Amino acid sequence: MTRLATRVSYVTCTRNRRDELTRTLRTLDELHRDDPSVAEVVLADNASDPPIHEWLPQTELHVEVVTLPENIAAAARNAAAERARSAWLVMLDDDSAPLDLGFLDVLDRVDDGVAAVLADVTLPDGSRERGGLPEVLVGCGAAVRREAYLGVGGYDPAIFFAAEEPDLCARLIAAGWRLEASTVFRVLHHKTPTNRDLDRMLRLLTRNAGVLIERTTPDAERRSLRRDHIRRCAWIARKEDAVDGFAQGLAELRSARRSLVREPLSRAHFERFTGLHHAREAIAAALQERPFATAALVEAGKHAWAVERALRDAGVEIVGDADRADRLAIATMSPGPMLDAVDTFLRSDDDRVLAPWTFAQRYAASRQRAPSLA
């Protein structure tokens, strides 16, 4: 089989979400109406009833269906990746799609050492998708080199779903690959609630992300990251009324620790994986451009600890009173919330905002140069 038959292969897995998948296929068809030959769609059917090949809508794009005998969740993408005919796999959910084709030029120019390009994923209300880190993708919007994806084994079937993306990205980083982000690569995620069981999702997130921390985190960091993870999952459980799922996931995590095989990342890889490296880099750049002595943490979210540590290690005092702080440091390493916070601060008269990621700093600079921020 010729692997470069198309420029991109759209890859997704689905199960019993006919309306969502139909809308996504029609969107992809419309995007490529001028030249459908540059793309294909490879669908992994997680034992839908009825199977999707029985009702698949007609499209101009070539659509390949891999029908699986049982639901294996995210790992179904592995079977689709094997069947794909392009060097780039554009990973989507069955309810997400690119807003335009600008990302094709991005993929043409990307450095050979980059395994994945993370999209700027927005939701219907205009806010951005939560989750991910500077070098951790979200599965509803990213392009991954087929060579890199298959080379590290794709998604781990043992995870099922929840934390499959950070697990994959940890292996990519450990294998010597880099991951980059692009605001030109824009994806809309409808995030429809069909088949979404919040208790189940939080059970799996608590267990799987906890196992990943136990397996990959260097000894000196493991206890603090364990506490941070459990605190965050407990907060989500209360917010989403999924306390039962959290409790079950926590019990499963404690049980899994007993037989866990440790494979800690190197210090450099750990700091890239968690975003700490990116926070250090951005804070160093900000200090060089405009020295400051104090900072207040604002918009706290995922991996706020990395921002706090990078500031303290750089000699910056963290103060609780934002009014007397030299800078306001956005305290999350999750790309979507960080960029949303940048937009919010740029609409105000306060110029003290500090984004702890050089990519977000460049985004802020480009927005400041724009004629209007409306």
Side-chain angles (χ1 to χ4, degrees):
M1 180 181 292
T2 303
R3 288 297 171 197
L4 297 179
T6 61
R7 287 178 70 185
V8 292
S9 298
Y10 294 106
V11 169
T12 191
C13 55
T14 188
R15 174 176 166 83
N16 295 336
R17 282 164 51 103
R18 180 171 181 163
D19 291 344
E20 291 85 351
L21 182 59
T22 297
R23 175 172 57 189
T24 295
L25 289 174
R26 287 175 176 162
T27 299
L28 295 176
D29 223 28
E30 177 63 20
L31 280 174
H32 290 279
R33 66 184 183 277
D34 293 335
D35 186 4
S37 68
V38 303
E40 67 174 354
V41 181
V42 190
L43 304 173
D45 183 3
N46 267 319
S48 294
D49 183 20
I52 64 174
H53 68 77
E54 294 184 4
W55 54 260
L56 205 64
Q58 188 69 33
T59 66
E60 293 299 319
L61 288 173
H62 172 73
V63 178
E64 187 89 11
V65 177
V66 183
T67 303
L68 301 171
E70 61 180 328
N71 180 14
I72 59 173
R77 295 179 191 263
N78 299 349
E82 290 278 6
R83 194 77 64 89
R85 302 180 299 164
S86 171
W88 283 101
L89 311 174
V90 179
M91 296 290 186
L92 302 173
D93 281 357
D94 57 12
D95 60 353
S96 69
L99 287 167
D100 54 57
L101 297 181
F103 71 93
L104 292 176
D105 290 336
V106 174
L107 298 183
D108 286 344
R109 297 193 306 268
V110 75
D111 185 88
D112 289 343
V114 173
V117 179
L118 287 56
D120 187 3
V121 183
T122 55
L123 304 176
D125 66 1
S127 66
R128 289 180 169 88
E129 180 74 56
R130 295 183 174 273
L133 291 165
E135 291 194 72
V136 173
L137 59 84
V138 290
C140 63
V144 187
R145 286 188 196 274
R146 183 177 180 277
E147 169 197 0
Y149 181 85
L150 295 178
V152 299
Y155 285 132
D156 182 353
I159 290 179
F160 200 66
F161 70 85
E164 70 274 13
E165 294 104 335
D167 173 75
L168 170 70
C169 294
R171 285 180 278 123
L172 287 169
I173 291 169
W177 293 97
R178 304 193 316 277
L179 294 89
E180 294 184 351
S182 171
T183 53
V184 175
F185 185 5
R186 303 185 307 144
V187 167
L188 175 62
H189 186 199
H190 290 281
K191 207 166 189 174
T192 50
T194 310
N195 297 344
R196 296 187 189 274
D197 181 333
L198 290 177
D199 269 301
R200 185 189 194 197
M201 292 175 72
L202 196 57
R203 173 178 72 85
L204 292 174
L205 176 65
T206 303
R207 182 193 72 192
N208 294 342
V211 165
L212 183 62
I213 288 169
E214 298 293 334
R215 190 178 77 240
T216 63
T217 305
D219 288 336
E221 309 286 349
R222 191 156 44 126
R223 181 172 293 181
S224 63
L225 260 68
R226 178 191 294 166
R227 287 197 302 265
D228 182 75
H229 167 64
I230 292 172
R231 279 197 302 266
R232 183 160 179 79
C233 286
W235 176 82
I236 296 171
R238 292 189 295 269
K239 179 174 179 289
E240 301 293 345
D241 193 22
V243 175
D244 289 344
F246 168 66
Q248 187 176 351
L250 192 57
E252 292 176 6
L253 171 58
R254 287 168 175 160
S255 177
R257 285 179 187 149
R258 301 188 188 108
S259 58
L260 190 72
V261 177
R262 294 263 294 142
E263 298 173 308
L265 294 167
S266 70
R267 167 60 55 178
H269 287 161
F270 166 77
E271 294 204 359
R272 282 177 49 208
F273 174 57
T274 58
L276 180 55
H277 161 81
H278 300 278
R280 293 191 195 281
E281 183 180 56
I283 289 164
L287 282 165
Q288 185 173 12
E289 179 182 353
R290 190 172 107 193
F292 57 97
T294 62
L297 302 178
V298 295
E299 303 292 333
K302 185 174 183 178
H303 285 209
W305 65 266
V307 182
E308 182 174 356
R309 182 179 304 179
L311 285 165
R312 292 190 190 282
D313 288 351
V316 176
E317 180 188 358
I318 297 175
V319 298
D321 185 357
D323 289 338
R324 69 182 187 89
D326 297 329
R327 301 297 297 268
L328 304 178
I330 299 171
T332 179
M333 295 309 299
S334 183
M338 191 191 303
L339 294 183
D340 279 348
V342 167
D343 285 338
T344 297
F345 278 102
L346 288 179
R347 285 192 290 266
S348 73
D349 293 329
D350 198 330
D351 66 350
R352 295 177 297 161
V353 63
L354 167 60
W357 183 22
T358 55
F359 174 84
Q361 291 176 350
R362 291 193 297 270
Y363 170 80
S366 69
R367 294 282 285 158
Q368 286 173 320
R369 291 193 298 268
S372 172
L373 294 175

